[in-house]
Amino acid sequence: MPKFNHCFTLTAADESSRIYECDDNIAQIDFISQSSIRVAIYKKNAELLPTFCINPTNKLLLDGRERLSTDGFDLCRIKAENRESEDFFSLPCGVDITLDKRNFLLSYAYAGKAVFADRKPLAYNFQKEFGDGLYHYITRSENEHIYGLGDKGGALDKSGRSFRIETVDCMGYSAKNSDPLYKHLPFYICENEALCYGIFYDTTDTSYFDFGKEINNYYPAYKYFKTDDDCLVYYVFFGSKLSVLQQFCRLCGKQAFPPKWSFDYCASTMAYTDAPDSEKQMYAFLDKLEKYDLPCQGFYLSSGYTSIGERRYVFNWNYDKFPNPKEFVERFSQRKINIIPNIKPAFLNSHPLYGELKEKGYFVKNPDGTPFVTEFWDGLGSYLDFTNRDAFDYWSEKVTSSLLDLGITSTWNDNNEFDIKDTEALCSGFSSGEVKASRIRSTLTYLMVAASYLAQKKQSPNNRPFLSTRSGNIAVRRLSQTWSGDNKTSFEDLRYCHNIGLTMSLSGFGFYGHDLGGFHGKMPSRQLLLRWLEHGIFEPRFTIHSWNEDGSATMPWSYEDIMPSVKALFEQRRQLIPYLYNCAYNSVENEIPINAPLILYYDDEELYAQNDCMLVGRNILVSFIFDEDKQSTSVYLPKADNWYLADRYYNGGQWIVLKIPTDRPMPYFVKAGSVLPIQEDETVFTVYPVENGEFEDSFFTDDGVTFNYRNGDCVMLKFSVKCDSQTVNVTYHNSGNMPFCPNIRLCKADKRRLIIENKE
């Protein structure tokens, strides 16, 4: 077969797909919506692994979905023109696609401008022209911006850099330089002068991106994707940055809606459960909360509760540390604090259950059937094979009997990167039989989380399960929240964790957070702790967590002299919960990120150099201090909107010098044209009007726990606001079944007359 010269022929076609063949290569295009397509390149008779990432029907997948299924897609009838050497397609969104059948080269244009194209003369590795592995080379624009790839560090814009896509337990990583981290997410958004587009490569194999770091004299500017997979299946989305993100997210299925309590402060530390008197330390924590009158509704219970000696054994309670686990859980429950216990998917070979699991064949195994053994938490152990349905069910049963039956309702699924690179390690697999564990590591993570989820769902069928997972691919968002893992205690990591969080938001992980204060290193300084808390009160997950070098625990009361500032920030977080919870609902239902960089919605050139701000929902703009001893920063206000700060009104399109001292609550801007719900106990709705004109806003709340909101048992307020020179007229309507009478006021910066009307 010739190389660098592959002539494809159309062999099958219908209204929304085309199949082309050349020798033993098959290339397929599916027009899956008005603004997106799927491209698949594979060999004849290939057995494609199922996908767990693609899930537009929001089903709970335990066996996956056929990789090339079109179930749930809004398939699009396209306009097509066929010629001898080229085919032409037009998407309803206005994107024109040209296919050069020689080497199967696709190019995309919008309004006469090139968006991107497969690199000529060859973009794919049909006959190992580029060596081993599968490649996809595409063009690169000089001034393009690239966002995404999950929990990637460094600058928000990933252009000009290269990345490895796999998962690793990277404790103490550098948020600026380390790669890879915990997530496997081969999706990015590219913005150039013609149009924004996004690409998702549907694979769980180890993969690589190069966004312009490599340069080759024989080709114009390019970027590329490489994977160890044996087929190439990728999705392309067109539109605005937000639209591209929304299309990708909807393709992968809705995020799990966390219970409302999880938006309050949820504490944690390794120190308490590592200590020999763990229970005493935990009860002392309750006393401290009472002493300082701090709110708390969750405690992430680190794995020291499972210890035997110096090692940790999942599902084992250390009765020396916790003589009566059920009583311990009940005592926290009485204080309305949910225990979230740490669980890990590997069993050390000294685990009391190891022999039983080995005999049953529940572990990832070697070719001879013996358990695959690898390093894990200060010893050797074996990972449970979650593709084995009996092992999957075993995990669910142990979650139930060891944890949920004690009154626990949540799980913290940790150390679940499944660090298996040995290509001989095998899993039971799917319908086609055994599969190399190294190929499906992030799928194993998803199935672990699914096994925990189903146990929790079975225990409390009508309650929304709360789970946290450190690792995974995009599929875990349908079951769990996540966080940025074991960061370091430094101002540098505070700055770059800010970028990691926004990068996760731009990758479909809306419910995230950081270990505030830093997980690993020295106890954070007073200033660093406060700067972390200032950031944390605006994140979906508000958790201080630490494993300090000296064995101390980072806690809100680590420094007695700054407690007034800490208490003020905690109170501000409580005030923000109604707004954050409303943003959470909007994130689940409409794929509007809770935290996002301003460039997701605004195109002002000044914003591309502004790295210390973010939007919270669509109505709050907040800026942070990431440098030691700095007390103020410059904030650019996007010109498309006007803004309020406390009792002042600002026109957009200007820079503002903002003071952010550490001895008071955080200042933040509110977008003109907003109705902001504040205060958890008795919500107050503050109207931030425009000068003249109309706008709408909405508010959601419910019982905070169950799925009853899906049946209308909730508050669903819609505000319609009309503004003129004299009055601000607010009408509202509640379409939910829960009675609710909003307390509405006008912001202090506006002196017009407020008129309120209920449209019930």
Side-chain angles (χ1 to χ4, degrees), residues 158-334:
K158 309 306 179 192
S159 59
R161 300 170 61 195
S162 61
F163 301 91
R164 192 160 89 244
I165 306 298
E166 65 174 337
T167 61
V168 65
D169 184 341
C170 47
M171 198 269 286
Y173 67 89
S174 164
K176 180 180 181 181
N177 296 313
S178 295
D179 182 70
L181 300 180
Y182 301 97
K183 311 293 189 296
H184 186 289
L185 217 173
F187 164 75
Y188 68 88
I189 301 168
C190 183
E191 177 186 24
N192 60 33
E193 295 178 354
L195 188 68
C196 292
Y197 64 91
I199 300 182
F200 172 61
Y201 293 91
D202 186 15
T203 181
T204 56
D205 278 271
T206 296
S207 303
Y208 308 85
F209 280 100
D210 188 308
F211 291 133
K213 189 173 183 179
E214 177 182 294
I215 298 174
N216 189 314
N217 178 60
Y218 296 104
Y219 301 97
Y222 62 87
K223 50 185 177 284
Y224 73 85
F225 171 79
K226 178 188 177 184
T227 180
D228 293 344
D229 206 336
D230 54 9
C231 65
L232 191 67
V233 180
Y234 67 91
Y235 294 77
V236 187
F237 314 93
F238 300 99
S240 66
K241 293 185 287 292
L242 176 62
S243 172
V244 167
L245 176 61
Q246 289 173 319
Q247 290 178 70
F248 167 63
C249 290
R250 288 165 181 159
L251 189 79
C252 298
K254 284 187 176 183
Q255 298 172 97
F257 190 12
K260 194 172 189 179
W261 62 259
S262 68
F263 291 87
D264 208 337
Y265 169 54
C266 293
S268 188
T269 179
M270 293 282 289
Y272 289 178
T273 55
D274 280 357
D277 59 344
S278 292
E279 190 173 77
K280 180 181 177 181
Q281 301 243 18
M282 293 293 294
Y283 291 155
F285 168 80
L286 295 179
D287 294 338
K288 288 282 192 178
L289 289 177
E290 186 172 349
K291 174 183 177 180
Y292 293 109
D293 190 27
L294 291 177
C296 178
Q297 293 195 62
F299 197 104
Y300 287 89
L301 195 68
S302 291
S303 56
Y305 79 95
T306 69
S307 65
I308 301 175
E310 297 297 321
R311 296 183 176 182
R312 299 154 204 273
Y313 298 85
V314 64
F315 300 132
N316 173 75
W317 279 92
N318 183 319
Y319 292 109
D320 293 329
K321 295 181 178 183
F322 295 91
N324 190 331
K326 191 166 187 177
E327 183 180 295
F328 160 72
V329 172
E330 176 60 25
R331 187 161 170 180
F332 270 71
S333 181
Q334 289 172 357

Side-chain angles (χ1 to χ4, degrees), residues 526-691:
R526 292 167 172 80
Q527 190 181 151
L528 179 57
L529 178 58
L530 288 172
R531 293 306 189 195
W532 259 118
L533 291 176
E534 288 172 351
H535 197 282
I537 63 173
F538 297 99
E539 299 167 12
R541 173 189 186 261
F542 182 47
T543 296
I544 301 171
H545 184 41
S546 62
W547 194 14
N548 296 333
E549 292 173 350
D550 61 1
S552 62
T554 305
M555 283 288 156
W557 45 80
S558 289
Y559 299 102
E560 184 74 29
D561 56 321
I562 63 169
M563 278 308 297
S565 298
V566 171
K567 284 176 63 66
L569 290 170
F570 270 63
E571 176 57 29
Q572 190 173 24
R573 171 65 174 207
R574 289 280 290 174
Q575 291 179 0
L576 286 166
I577 285 177
Y579 178 70
L580 291 170
Y581 191 65
N582 183 55
C583 290
Y585 175 79
N586 206 19
S587 185
V588 170
E589 296 300 320
N590 302 310
E591 302 297 350
I592 300 296
I594 299 176
N595 294 160
L598 277 68
I599 53 91
L600 185 62
Y601 302 101
Y602 302 103
D603 296 324
D604 303 33
E605 192 64 34
E606 290 86 346
L607 294 174
Y608 291 90
Q610 181 166 274
N611 299 315
D612 55 2
C613 292
M614 72 181 182
L615 289 169
V616 185
R618 283 295 285 117
N619 295 339
I620 288 179
L621 189 166
V622 60
S623 184
F624 305 100
I625 298 289
F626 297 138
D627 297 303
E628 193 167 11
D629 297 329
K630 188 176 178 182
Q631 296 294 312
S632 64
T633 187
S634 295
V635 182
Y636 178 78
L637 302 177
K639 61 187 176 184
D641 287 304
N642 298 320
W643 304 86
Y644 292 87
L645 176 66
D647 58 353
R648 291 192 61 183
Y649 177 86
Y650 294 89
N651 290 317
Q654 62 174 313
W655 287 91
I656 302 295
V657 175
L658 182 65
K659 293 182 179 179
I660 311 179
T662 57
D663 61 350
R664 65 196 67 177
M666 278 289 286
Y668 57 83
F669 296 89
V670 180
K671 180 170 68 72
S674 305
V675 181
L676 201 69
I678 293 294
Q679 295 178 196
E680 173 62 358
D681 299 326
E682 185 179 348
T683 304
V684 175
F685 295 84
T686 303
V687 180
Y688 294 86
V690 295
E691 291 185 12

Side-chain angles (χ1 to χ4, degrees), residues 8 20 27 29 39 99-106 118 124:
F8 282 79
Y20 300 83
I29 307 174
V39 179
L99 169 64
D100 183 342
K101 285 181 275 192
R102 179 177 178 267
N103 290 331
F104 196 79
L105 299 172
L106 291 161
D118 289 342
Y124 306 99

Side-chain angles (χ1 to χ4, degrees), residues 376-388:
F376 189 83
W377 264 92
D378 300 324
L380 294 173
S382 299
Y383 286 99
L384 207 66
D385 177 6
F386 286 90
T387 69
N388 180 327

Side-chain angles (χ1 to χ4, degrees), residues 76-94:
C76 176
R77 295 181 59 179
I78 46 89
K79 297 178 181 178
E81 181 182 346
N82 301 322
R83 296 179 184 173
E84 183 176 347
S85 61
E86 293 182 324
D87 286 352
F88 301 89
F89 312 102
S90 295
L91 295 177
C93 68

